[in-house]
Structures are given as C-alpha cells and as structure tokens.
Amino acid sequence: MIKVEIKKEVEKIKQITVDGHADFAEHGSDIVCAGVSAIVFGLINSVDELDDEVQFDISTNEDETGHLTYRSLQSTSKEQLLLNAMLIALKTIEENYSNYITIEIREVN
C-alpha cells in the first residue's frame, strides 16, 4: 500500500512523504503506482520550474521502498497552490483505489 503523509502548519503544506507500493498489479503494470508517481513528480517538477522564489528539499530512497519526502523550506503562494493541486489529485486516486493508497493529513507546529 502507498502511504501519503501530509504535514501542515497553519493551513500551509510543509512536508509530503510518500512511502510504499500499491501492489495493485505486477511491477510495470501498476496503474496506481504510476498515477501517484506521475502526480508527485509532475507537481514537484512544476514547483521547481515555475517558482524561482521557493526553497525546498527532497529526499528519496533508490531501493525498493518507494520513499520520497518533500520539505518546504521557504514557501510561496505559488508553491502552496501546486502542492494543494497535488493533494487533490492524490485524493482522487484514493477515492477510487482506497485499498491501495491512504492519505493522512496532520497539523504540526
């Protein structure tokens, strides 16, 4: 199962962590994993390309765990718009494939 954890601080997304694999289908044919990956990487690339003022950090594991963490270091309204678009897209996948992806949103200080 893919586990997505969103950490928010005063309604701003501060961190997104994606862990695991959906196991919806065999490797290379898994539409849930492909969809989540396309959304996450597409939106992070959009933040990087479209917002010169934002500062963020990404960490990933190159092994089989399927781990990515995005940390917002200096947020902008453009970044928040794109991160919220990512969240909406991921929630759409969760609505249709809830046995394969879960999203947890936590408020942090």
Side-chain angles (χ1 to χ4, degrees), residues 1 4 51 73 84:
M1 175 173 284
V4 179
D51 193 343
L73 303 175
N84 278 291

Side-chain angles (χ1 to χ4, degrees), residues 10-81:
V10 192
E11 293 303 309
K12 287 188 176 183
I13 295 174
K14 300 300 286 180
Q15 182 173 305
I16 299 169
T17 302
V18 181
D19 273 310
H21 293 285
D23 295 322
F24 176 78
E26 65 183 69
H27 183 73
S29 300
D30 194 323
I31 61 170
V32 178
C33 274
V36 169
S37 294
I39 289 167
V40 171
F41 286 106
L43 270 291
I44 290 172
N45 288 337
S46 296
V47 168
D48 190 37
E49 185 72 26
L50 298 173
D51 193 343
D52 293 333
E53 296 176 19
V54 70
Q55 292 180 13
F56 62 90
D57 176 52
I58 296 175
S59 63
T60 61
N61 284 353
E62 299 297 325
D63 60 14
E64 297 293 318
T65 61
H67 172 85
L68 176 137
T69 298
Y70 173 99
R71 287 178 203 85
S72 178
L73 303 175
Q74 181 176 322
S75 188
T76 66
S77 59
K78 202 180 286 187
E79 177 205 38
Q80 288 301 309
L81 177 66

Side-chain angles (χ1 to χ4, degrees), residues 2 31-37 39 87-98 100-101 103:
I2 296 173
I31 61 170
V32 178
C33 274
V36 169
S37 294
I39 289 167
L87 179 55
I88 290 167
L90 291 172
K91 283 182 177 181
T92 301
I93 292 177
E94 182 187 37
E95 287 172 11
N96 293 293
Y97 298 96
S98 60
Y100 305 97
I101 178 173
I103 300 171

